[in-house]
Amino acid sequence: MSSTTQTGASKFSLSMLINDTRYRSTTFQVIALIGLIFAMGYLVSNLLSNLADAGLNISWRFFGETAGYDINQMPIEYNNQMSHGRASLVGAVNTLIVAFLACVSATILGVIAGVLRLSNNWVVSKLMAIYVEAFRNVPVLVWILIIFLVMSNVLPQPREFRGDAAASSMWFDMVAFTNRGVYIPRLILDDLGWVVFAAFGLSIMGVFAFRRYARNLLFNTGRLIPTFLPSIVILILPTVLVYFALGSPIGLENPALKGFNFKGGLHLRLSLIALWFALAIYTGAFIAENVRAGIQAISHGQTEAAAALGMRPGRIMSLIILPQALRVIVPPLISQYLNITKNSSLAIAVGYMDITGTLGGITLNQTGRAIECILVLMLFYLVISLSISAIMNVYNNAMKLKER
């Protein structure tokens, strides 16, 4: 046996790397990789050589220099005496905020619109069709500008909230919609406030665990137990008990009209709201079509079979149709999330200071470090996009059909 192996190994020759089908594909891949490495090395070397001839060099010191400009939307602490690195971080957080809000909103809106488009109600179905065709066939930049301009001209000015006979009033004395933005209450946390949030996070995990248990019980035994009200109790009751047990460590700071504008609370600028709504409504139209295609990919016979067993339409959709449709919906949904993240770079059109407006705009113009700024900007979007893709691919693998 060993002599045969040694004889086979001794017969190996370099020509087999090209002629033998066992090695040919690997050989070509290695050659292509080496060629790509040399090509990239040549391009980088040529870039550095041209920069040196022009008296330029790659430097990252500007990130530590004073920025000298203000940012209108600051989710974290910042002032104009801080560094360009801090300003870029503020822009990155602003980008992540609007991308997260738009992804969640677009998903909810898209699922609702996709399901309603298949409704037997002719009016509802046609209204959803008009929404889908109207929004996905107009550039998202146009919708951003339309929403921003409408809100700027329709919403009241802060002075209209002043006086006993004010023309406008706050909602529940907590929320004010103005042409300068929306003012909402801000959370004030004591030292133990994080415990309440931890309890709420555990409650969310408990809801998922309970619903998984209910689903497995239904599939294994055919026994159907209520899930809606128990889920609400699991989600709210533990958090409320922890909140009062710790002496109410979380409070609210409501906005109040002082002088010419509202003070206190949390200020959501119109630029953020316009960008958020436009991205959500625009992308939601595409997600609605993905949802509709996923539902129609499921055989109608399964709906009829479930109905014959006495299941209600809502149960049929949530337990039979959507779990199978997700295998069709999720892959294109990943692309929509990536589009939202990249389209958020249009924020500069309405003055929302995301990372494109800070690092790729003001910082680039002040420092003249175009190559460094663009490289970091590309790296940021690349990392965010790959992270979203990786997370959604994990979910997609969990939802795909498991074969024996």
Side-chain angles (χ1 to χ4, degrees):
M1 181 87 177
S2 60
S3 61
T4 304
T5 304
Q6 293 176 358
T7 303
S10 62
K11 292 182 179 180
F12 177 81
S13 61
L14 293 178
S15 62
M16 295 173 63
L17 295 176
I18 302 297
N19 299 325
D20 196 324
T21 56
R22 294 175 297 175
Y23 308 108
R24 184 184 301 164
S25 62
T26 303
T27 302
F28 289 152
Q29 292 181 48
V30 171
I31 293 174
L33 178 61
I34 294 174
L36 179 62
I37 293 174
F38 275 104
M40 294 299 296
Y42 170 77
L43 292 176
V44 172
S45 175
N46 187 50
L47 172 64
L48 296 177
S49 176
N50 290 335
L51 289 175
D53 293 340
L56 302 175
N57 62 330
I58 299 294
S59 174
W60 309 100
R61 293 181 181 178
F62 70 94
F63 277 115
E65 298 174 358
T66 301
Y69 62 89
D70 295 320
I71 298 177
N72 52 20
Q73 189 81 40
M74 296 180 295
I76 59 177
E77 184 181 358
Y78 172 80
N79 60 65
N80 56 19
Q81 296 304 310
M82 292 185 176
S83 65
H84 284 291
R86 184 70 174 185
S88 301
L89 179 60
V90 174
V93 175
N94 282 336
T95 298
L96 295 177
I97 289 174
V98 74
F100 174 77
L101 293 175
C103 284
V104 174
S105 304
T107 303
I108 297 173
L109 181 61
V111 171
I112 294 175
V115 172
L116 291 181
R117 193 168 182 190
L118 298 174
S119 172
N120 294 326
N121 189 309
W122 186 87
V123 176
V124 173
S125 176
K126 293 306 177 183
L127 285 176
M128 291 300 102
I130 293 173
Y131 156 69
V132 169
E133 297 303 329
F135 276 89
R136 72 173 185 163
N137 289 305
V138 176
V140 64
L141 178 59
V142 175
W143 289 118
I144 295 174
L145 296 175
I146 289 176
I147 294 175
F148 181 78
L149 292 175
V150 168
M151 295 180 67
S152 299
N153 291 279
V154 172
L155 293 178
Q157 300 180 19
R159 65 185 180 186
E160 297 181 25
F161 290 81
R162 183 180 294 110
D164 296 332
S168 301
S169 60
M170 298 177 63
W171 287 17
F172 308 105
D173 294 328
M174 300 173 64
V175 180
F177 291 88
T178 75
N179 63 350
R180 298 182 184 179
V182 179
Y183 296 85
I184 62 176
R186 183 177 64 180
L187 293 177
I188 304 297
L189 276 66
D190 292 342
D191 294 337
L192 296 178
W194 66 270
V195 179
V196 179
F197 283 102
F200 183 69
L202 293 176
S203 297
I204 295 176
M205 296 173 60
V207 170
F208 281 103
F210 171 73
R211 295 182 73 89
R212 179 185 292 272
Y213 164 77
R215 184 171 62 252
N216 292 335
L217 183 65
L218 176 62
F219 291 162
N220 295 331
T221 66
R223 180 186 172 193
L224 181 63
I225 61 175
T227 57
F228 180 74
L229 290 179
S231 297
I232 297 297
V233 172
I234 295 174
L235 181 65
I236 297 177
L237 185 59
T239 305
V240 172
L241 292 177
V242 171
Y243 175 79
F244 286 106
L246 296 177
S248 304
I250 298 178
L252 292 177
E253 180 189 53
N254 293 328
L257 184 60
K258 297 180 180 180
F260 297 100
N261 205 350
F262 283 89
K263 304 295 183 182
L266 188 62
H267 182 199
L268 303 179
R269 292 184 173 272
L270 287 187
S271 55
L272 167 61
I273 298 175
L275 182 65
W276 168 16
F277 283 7
L279 290 176
I281 297 172
Y282 175 80
T283 311
F286 289 90
I287 295 178
E289 286 297 276
N290 296 337
V291 172
R292 184 171 70 97
I295 293 175
Q296 290 182 328
I298 307 303
S299 172
H300 189 64
Q302 298 199 32
T303 303
E304 296 174 341
L309 294 175
M311 295 184 67
R312 298 190 300 272
R315 289 285 184 178
I316 295 174
M317 180 60 66
S318 62
L319 296 176
I320 305 298
I321 304 303
L322 279 182
Q324 298 180 80
L326 284 175
R327 302 179 186 122
V328 179
I329 296 171
V330 171
L333 183 64
I334 300 174
S335 297
Q336 299 305 328
Y337 287 167
L338 298 180
N339 288 336
I340 286 178
T341 305
K342 291 179 288 187
N343 286 338
S344 67
S345 60
L346 297 171
I348 193 64
V350 288
Y352 181 71
M353 297 299 291
D354 68 335
I355 192 171
T356 304
T358 55
L359 178 62
I362 301 177
T363 294
L364 186 152
N365 292 327
Q366 285 188 356
T367 62
R369 293 291 178 177
I371 295 177
E372 295 89 333
C373 290
I374 296 302
L375 285 176
V376 175
L377 195 61
M378 291 172 57
L379 180 62
F380 171 80
Y381 282 110
L382 179 63
V383 170
I384 297 302
S385 298
L386 291 178
S387 300
I388 294 174
S389 181
I391 294 172
M392 292 302 297
N393 279 324
V394 170
Y395 179 74
N396 185 41
N397 290 331
M399 295 303 300
K400 70 181 182 181
L401 184 63
K402 305 295 191 300
E403 298 182 356
R404 295 183 179 179

